[in-house]
Amino acid sequence: MSKASEPPSVSDEAAGESIKKMKKQIRRANWPEYLRKLGFSDNTVEQCVSKNEVRLNPYWIKLQDKQGRLIIGLEKMVAEEIFTSKRNERVDQILAYNWVKKSVVRNRNRAWFIYDFLSQYPSYDFFKANVRLMLQLNEDQITQIEHDYEGNIKEQRYHMILTWMKAKKLTSVKKVAKALKNIELVAPDISKPESKAAGSSTKADSYSSDDESDSQSSSESDWKETISDSDLEKQSLKKLCLKYAKAIADITNRVPLHATKQESISEEEFGNTSSWLFKKQTDKKNIPPENLFEEAARWYDEKAKSSHETTNKQQQNVAGLTGIAGIGKTTFCKFVLKHWIESHPHSFVFYISIRDVDFMEKCNLLKFLLVSTDHGYKFKPETDDAILDEINKSSDTLIVIDGLDEAEITGDFSKHPHGMSLHQEKMPYCILMNLLNCRLLPSAKKLIASRPNAFLNFNPECKPVFMLQVLGLSKESQNLLCKQYSKTEEQQKHVQDELEKQPNVSALLFIPIFARLIIPYFVDNLESNKPVLSISDVFLNQLEQWQKNPKFHTDWKHLKQLTKLALDGVENRQFSFPSQDFTKHGIEMKSIEPFMCAHATHQHGMLVLDGEKTFFFIHATWQEFLAALHLMVFASYEEFSSKIQQIFQQSSWEVVVRFLFGFCNQKVQEKLKILFPDAQELKNKEKVVKTQARKLLPKLSELPSDNPVTADKYFDDVIASYFKVNKFESREKDSKLYNICSWANEAKDDVLTKALANSLPNQLLLSGDLLPHQVMSFCHVLSVAEESHILNVGDWLNPSTLAGRGLHTLLSTIQQSTHKIPKLHLEEVDISVDFEIILELLPGITGLTLWTCGLTIPMVENLVGVITQHNIHLSWLDLSGNNLNGVGKYLAKSIRLMQALSLVNCNLQEDDFNAIAEATANQDTNMSLLNLSENVMSKKALDSFVPGIHKLGVMGLRKCSVTGDGLEQLCHEISKRQKPINFLSLGENNIGLIGVNHMSSCVYNIRQLWLNDCNLTITCLQALIAAIHNMDHSMVYLDLSKNKFGDEGAIALATCLEKVEKLNVSECDITPVGAEALHTANIEWKHQIFGV
């Protein structure tokens, strides 16, 4: 457009008339937007618009050009276009004149873009609570903007964007659009489409022209986003949840944690015995956070195959996480969050701290999921339901529930939850349990973390089937942490050497919260060589440092009140505290800063910026330490006495009790008296604490001493024996033993330690996963025992795992004493360092398991050498899970001394089988068991065992690649036995009809036969049933699970139930028709049938 066609000048009077008309058409709040869209600068708009008066006069509507021309037809433009979603063509034309300054164009384009962006978030509450967080505006900035532009929410939102742009130094619309997209906000499209006609452009064209050239004229273009409000809120909420989860998952300077599958087999879960006996179920390998749910799914599949029960497949999406106090459960949760966000960047992620849940107030599922998230989302039924529907459809949703043991509920989690729908409001307990049993969000991945006590009496339907146990810091992680705190490599080595000199302290380094207190203490006190007396002493040292640090304002007066608050919290299961609790106890917040963290509360869907906050202790262990400090130092003797019995009876006080014994340490008491001169009756309280411990000593006589079912007896009836073993186990009693030992170790009281040692039964069974501090405390007691004790470490069916230096500590203690270890059953333990000690102790051992312990051929050669040299008779030797190719010639020398030998998954070769088979056939005595499962075996190798099969009570050949032809000679020899073979496992071998025909010739001479997953058809089954019919006695057990013979096979099996006492038909494609046939036939015999 040329200058000849410039718009004519308009008189001030005419302009004034236009203004009067416009005032009737435009709301006061829209004046700033109107002016900006005309191209006025922000400074000009600020002068034009005040809180009390709208001033729009001819001066302010002049374009800022040299000639001061006025815009014509102003009122018409306003009335028709200016506040619609379309760019105004007439205004664009006027601005296209070459006499318009570029700054006006830039102002105009930026204003249109910002207001367009604001239209994507129409709700001010939602914008303020969500978008401003993503823009990283602080509370002071928000407060100032709201004050300056009070009553005009559109102006407030505009200035929030403007403040962010200035902070980020975004000078063009293109840069603004890119920055918005980078923080995952919906930015208007600024792409440049083709012009509809020469000399015209779309609104996006105008955006693109920013900082380049004068604006060109534009045609009307409808660029309004079609996305709905609910979709926008859904997207924004997802992004905010991810942003919050990222903040939670900040694991800077965190060292890797060791976590393993926790085994917990109940009678109800025990079904397919073949899987439990010839394939180890306890998987002690380290499970990294990124593989958590893959491992859960894998383990679930294995469990489903081995169980006769109907299982809920969605349970593979749920994982439980447990571990002792301070072991790193929350940190592991953060690792899971971090890896999930990295691999699923567009998923819903929810982190729930149970301490934030009010179990007394109803809520819907979305409120429950967002309880710990700073979201500011305004709950509305329609939007809530839409969001929940999307979450429900997604398989990428992650829900992490942390701190179950901190739930403020009455009782435990044993109550059965009522069912509920996705959109119902229910009590949080009901929502939590329905999430865990997968009635709610069945496809979502869920991780729930807690100390062990919360899972003790858990509703079985809701308890995770896959449980992970955090074992804390490995030796490598401890060294890495030591490196982080040390200034030089030399200092690091010096610290590690000093720690090694104090084994009672170094045994605690696997617990992260202790390691992060102990290692810095050693770094700071290398020159003074101040010893660490106990873990209570470590916490006291940290307390003293905080009190001396000028950065904090720790006041002993307020500390006393804080310890009372901590005690009340532990007693009432309260782990979060509103600010009025501190006011009630007379506590100034600044004086307790090191101990507390703050969490902003929510109200009506908005983040409360300047309102109520909830506080919690930096770690539950610190709350428990302060509770113990109150009892021992500040509480009156009357208050102390009234609570002490309850404290010793309830498991939730376990950590508090340990701190109490730490305060009974005489040197720690001296420090307490210096720090707290007014400490009340420490000696009297000490006597009460120790008296409570002595009351428990008589109960130690009830501790288990050994597995009452030996291997040879076990296989007489494997299922009945398993139940006996299960009922005999008592982890609670084991836990009590380790707790009492830790008390004595913490107190360093010789009298109490000796009394405890003399109360131990002569024979003890140390079973399960033993942590380093448990072994250290037990050995501390055992070392002062006046009599010799017999220690059975694990049993042949359930080996023990000793983490860290636990094995070395135990074996060294035994080596230096008169105590004996007749049974040493270990699993997933690195024995390379302690193998020489094992060889030294071997003459006193009668049962040995070294499952997946890193054995090598030279180590086995030395082992066999000691066995033969000392003529050691072993009731059980299990070397499974080690790569022992070539071991046969060595074991052959000592097989005559073994009652049972297990070599599962040892990569045995032809020569190994031949050597073992020959030695078995030539020995004078019978063997109760030979298990060669999971080793590939040719027909020739299998035939080599034929001469000695009459000397075996149990033979395990599961998953050995045995074929039907390969069974011919073995079955023929079994048929000639004078006494039936007790147990024969052929599961997971494709033996087909040929193999079944061979088995049919000797089935009468087999008491328990496992043919699970052997590809048996109905034809195979009929041949086997015919042979069973001809028997003159009954079989104890027949396992046919995972053979797909269906109802036809079930109906056929119903005819031979008289001859089969226990039958397993799990996963055989049997419908209710086949199940009914089996149950009807079994009415008379009342035998056990698994799998229907």
Side-chain angles (χ1 to χ4, degrees), residues 64 242 244 275 328-329 484 715 735 755 848 911 968 1014:
Q64 302 302 299
L242 275 168
Y244 181 75
S275 293
K329 297 180 291 296
Q484 287 181 7
F715 289 96
S735 178
L848 179 63
D911 291 344
E968 181 179 4
C1014 285

Side-chain angles (χ1 to χ4, degrees), residues 139 579 599-601 603 607-615:
E139 295 182 16
S579 56
H599 178 66
T601 59
Q603 185 175 9
L607 185 67
V608 179
L609 300 176
D610 297 311
E612 194 64 37
K613 291 184 179 179
T614 300
F615 296 84

Side-chain angles (χ1 to χ4, degrees), residues 18-243:
S18 295
I19 293 170
K20 290 179 182 178
K21 293 179 182 179
M22 286 189 291
K23 284 188 176 181
K24 297 178 181 179
Q25 298 168 349
I26 306 174
R27 292 181 299 125
R28 168 182 166 181
N30 286 339
W31 280 114
E33 178 184 356
Y34 165 74
L35 293 174
R36 288 193 184 98
K37 286 186 174 181
L38 289 178
F40 289 104
S41 68
D42 290 312
N43 290 335
T44 303
V45 174
E46 288 295 306
Q47 295 175 52
C48 177
V49 181
S50 68
K51 298 173 187 176
N52 303 317
E53 181 183 4
V54 175
R55 294 182 297 159
L56 183 60
N57 56 44
Y59 172 78
W60 297 123
I61 64 171
K62 291 177 182 177
L63 289 174
Q64 302 302 299
D65 69 313
K66 295 179 181 179
Q67 301 181 37
R69 294 178 174 84
L70 300 174
I71 295 176
I72 62 171
L74 201 55
E75 72 280 6
K76 183 178 179 181
M77 294 180 222
V78 171
E80 292 180 358
E81 301 291 350
I82 198 70
F83 291 113
T84 70
S85 61
K86 301 176 182 179
R87 292 290 297 260
N88 183 268
E89 182 180 2
R90 180 61 178 153
V91 174
D92 285 334
Q93 289 174 351
I94 295 172
L95 291 177
Y97 285 107
N98 57 16
W99 47 261
V100 178
K101 292 195 303 183
K102 289 184 179 180
S103 61
V104 174
V105 178
R106 288 196 295 270
N107 292 342
R108 177 169 165 76
N109 290 335
R110 186 182 68 178
W112 274 98
F113 182 88
I114 293 177
Y115 285 115
D116 181 22
F117 170 75
L118 296 178
S119 71
Q120 315 303 308
Y121 301 92
S123 167
Y124 176 71
D125 290 346
F126 183 79
F127 178 89
K128 174 183 170 183
N130 291 272
V131 177
R132 70 92 178 169
L133 285 176
M134 303 186 82
L135 298 178
Q136 298 180 331
L137 303 182
N138 59 44
E139 295 182 16
D140 292 339
Q141 289 173 318
I142 297 294
T143 303
Q144 188 63 47
I145 290 171
E146 289 181 335
H147 177 268
D148 291 343
Y149 304 98
E150 184 179 0
N152 190 341
I153 59 175
K154 182 169 284 190
E155 190 73 356
Q156 291 174 6
R157 292 159 64 200
Y158 181 90
H159 279 275
M160 289 181 193
I161 298 295
L162 205 60
T163 302
W164 168 73
M165 289 169 58
K166 291 178 180 177
K168 296 294 183 181
K169 298 181 180 179
L170 303 172
T171 57
S172 70
V173 170
K174 283 184 176 180
K175 292 178 181 178
V176 175
K178 184 178 179 180
L180 288 172
K181 290 176 180 178
N182 286 341
I183 58 175
E184 299 180 322
L185 287 173
V186 180
D189 186 12
I190 62 168
S191 60
K192 187 171 183 177
E194 292 182 7
S195 300
K196 291 185 177 181
S200 67
S201 66
T202 63
K203 182 181 70 172
D205 260 331
S206 297
Y207 291 163
S208 300
S209 69
D210 182 40
D211 275 348
E212 294 174 359
S213 63
D214 291 350
S215 160
Q216 298 177 352
S217 62
S218 79
S219 61
E220 293 184 338
S221 173
D222 187 355
W223 50 276
K224 185 175 181 180
E225 292 284 343
T226 58
I227 191 168
S228 68
D229 288 350
S230 63
D231 286 340
L232 283 168
E233 295 200 15
K234 199 185 303 179
Q235 293 173 13
S236 297
L237 185 60
K238 179 187 289 188
K239 292 167 185 172
L240 280 161
C241 288
L242 275 168
K243 194 176 185 72

Side-chain angles (χ1 to χ4, degrees), residues 718-764:
V718 66
I719 298 176
S721 296
Y722 179 85
F723 289 158
K724 290 176 185 176
V725 173
N726 227 31
K727 291 174 181 175
F728 183 82
E729 291 179 355
S730 176
R731 295 295 168 88
E732 188 176 351
K733 292 178 180 178
D734 288 348
S735 178
K736 188 168 292 184
L737 168 65
Y738 301 133
N739 281 341
I740 297 176
C741 289
S742 71
W743 300 344
N745 189 31
E746 191 77 7
K748 296 293 187 293
D749 183 286
D750 294 340
V751 176
L752 178 61
T753 303
K754 188 161 289 188
L756 173 54
N758 294 334
S759 299
L760 294 175
N762 179 259
Q763 190 169 345
L764 269 172

Side-chain angles (χ1 to χ4, degrees), residues 217-458:
S217 62
S218 79
S219 61
E220 293 184 338
S221 173
D222 187 355
W223 50 276
K224 185 175 181 180
E225 292 284 343
T226 58
I227 191 168
S228 68
D229 288 350
S230 63
D231 286 340
L232 283 168
E233 295 200 15
K234 199 185 303 179
Q235 293 173 13
S236 297
L237 185 60
K238 179 187 289 188
K239 292 167 185 172
L240 280 161
C241 288
L242 275 168
K243 194 176 185 72
Y244 181 75
K246 285 178 182 177
I248 289 292
D250 180 13
I251 46 178
T252 308
N253 294 328
R254 300 288 181 177
V255 293
L257 291 164
H258 186 66
T260 68
K261 169 74 181 68
Q262 184 184 56
E263 187 57 35
S264 178
I265 308 171
S266 66
E267 294 180 18
E268 293 77 14
E269 292 171 326
F270 183 76
N272 189 348
T273 50
S274 59
S275 293
W276 295 113
L277 287 173
F278 286 120
K279 184 177 182 182
K280 293 301 293 183
Q281 293 299 303
T282 47
D283 189 359
K284 300 300 181 187
K285 70 177 182 179
N286 181 44
I287 298 178
E290 60 268 29
N291 295 345
L292 171 62
F293 291 105
E294 290 179 13
E295 288 294 326
R298 180 189 64 78
W299 186 87
Y300 173 86
D301 288 340
E302 289 188 3
K303 178 182 180 298
K305 292 175 183 177
S306 62
S307 174
H308 64 271
E309 292 189 331
T310 302
T311 53
N312 178 5
K313 186 170 178 60
Q314 303 300 339
Q315 288 179 322
Q316 67 180 333
N317 294 327
V318 183
L321 183 70
T322 188
I324 62 173
I327 197 68
K329 297 180 291 296
T330 296
T331 299
F332 192 88
C333 287
K334 291 180 178 182
F335 275 114
V336 172
L337 278 171
K338 178 178 181 293
H339 290 294
W340 189 268
I341 293 168
E342 290 173 351
S343 58
H344 301 80
H346 304 296
S347 62
F348 271 106
V349 178
F350 301 99
Y351 175 81
I352 301 169
S353 175
I354 286 293
R355 60 161 66 106
D356 294 329
V357 179
D358 184 353
F359 280 87
M360 302 302 293
E361 183 177 341
K362 276 188 176 183
C363 63
N364 68 8
L365 175 57
L366 190 58
K367 285 184 179 178
F368 181 86
L369 295 174
L370 294 173
V371 68
S372 298
T373 303
D374 289 335
H375 56 85
Y377 168 77
K378 192 170 184 179
F379 294 98
K380 293 178 289 187
E382 308 81 25
T383 313
D384 292 359
D385 292 352
I387 292 173
L388 286 172
D389 286 337
E390 179 171 330
I391 296 171
N392 193 42
K393 293 174 187 174
S394 172
S395 59
D396 291 337
T397 297
L398 173 66
I399 303 170
V400 175
I401 304 170
D402 189 20
L404 182 68
D405 52 292
E406 298 180 14
E408 297 177 15
I409 64 169
T410 303
D412 53 29
F413 292 89
S414 59
K415 183 181 176 183
H416 185 80
H418 296 293
M420 64 176 292
S421 68
L422 188 66
H423 305 131
Q424 272 184 296
E425 279 200 352
K426 288 281 187 179
M427 299 301 284
Y429 178 91
C430 186
I431 296 174
L432 171 66
M433 301 303 267
N434 276 285
L435 282 170
L436 296 179
N437 65 22
C438 295
R439 287 201 185 103
L440 290 177
L441 308 182
S443 299
K445 301 295 188 289
K446 301 154 194 143
L447 172 64
I448 182 165
S450 173
R451 292 184 187 179
N453 59 292
F455 284 123
L456 287 179
N457 297 309
F458 211 87

Side-chain angles (χ1 to χ4, degrees), residues 637-764:
Y637 184 76
E638 290 72 22
E639 180 187 1
F640 178 85
S641 302
S642 66
K643 295 182 183 297
I644 197 68
Q645 191 167 354
Q646 168 198 356
I647 288 172
F648 272 84
Q649 289 175 348
Q650 297 178 359
S651 60
S652 58
W653 291 89
E654 178 183 318
V655 178
V656 174
V657 171
R658 178 164 185 171
F659 281 125
L660 287 177
F661 276 94
F663 295 147
C664 292
N665 184 309
Q666 296 306 305
K667 292 184 178 180
V668 173
Q669 276 195 23
E670 292 174 7
K671 185 175 293 187
L672 281 175
K673 291 175 183 177
I674 296 172
L675 292 174
F676 308 104
D678 298 331
Q680 299 189 38
E681 304 192 56
L682 284 176
K683 286 298 179 184
N684 289 335
K685 291 176 182 177
E686 176 189 342
K687 290 177 182 177
V688 173
V689 170
K690 292 178 178 178
T691 300
Q692 290 293 326
R694 288 192 178 90
K695 288 180 180 179
L696 298 173
L697 297 185
K699 294 185 179 181
L700 295 180
S701 61
E702 302 172 6
L703 290 169
S705 58
D706 193 12
N707 187 336
V709 182
T710 58
D712 54 338
K713 297 295 182 184
Y714 183 96
F715 289 96
D716 287 342
D717 187 344
V718 66
I719 298 176
S721 296
Y722 179 85
F723 289 158
K724 290 176 185 176
V725 173
N726 227 31
K727 291 174 181 175
F728 183 82
E729 291 179 355
S730 176
R731 295 295 168 88
E732 188 176 351
K733 292 178 180 178
D734 288 348
S735 178
K736 188 168 292 184
L737 168 65
Y738 301 133
N739 281 341
I740 297 176
C741 289
S742 71
W743 300 344
N745 189 31
E746 191 77 7
K748 296 293 187 293
D749 183 286
D750 294 340
V751 176
L752 178 61
T753 303
K754 188 161 289 188
L756 173 54
N758 294 334
S759 299
L760 294 175
N762 179 259
Q763 190 169 345
L764 269 172

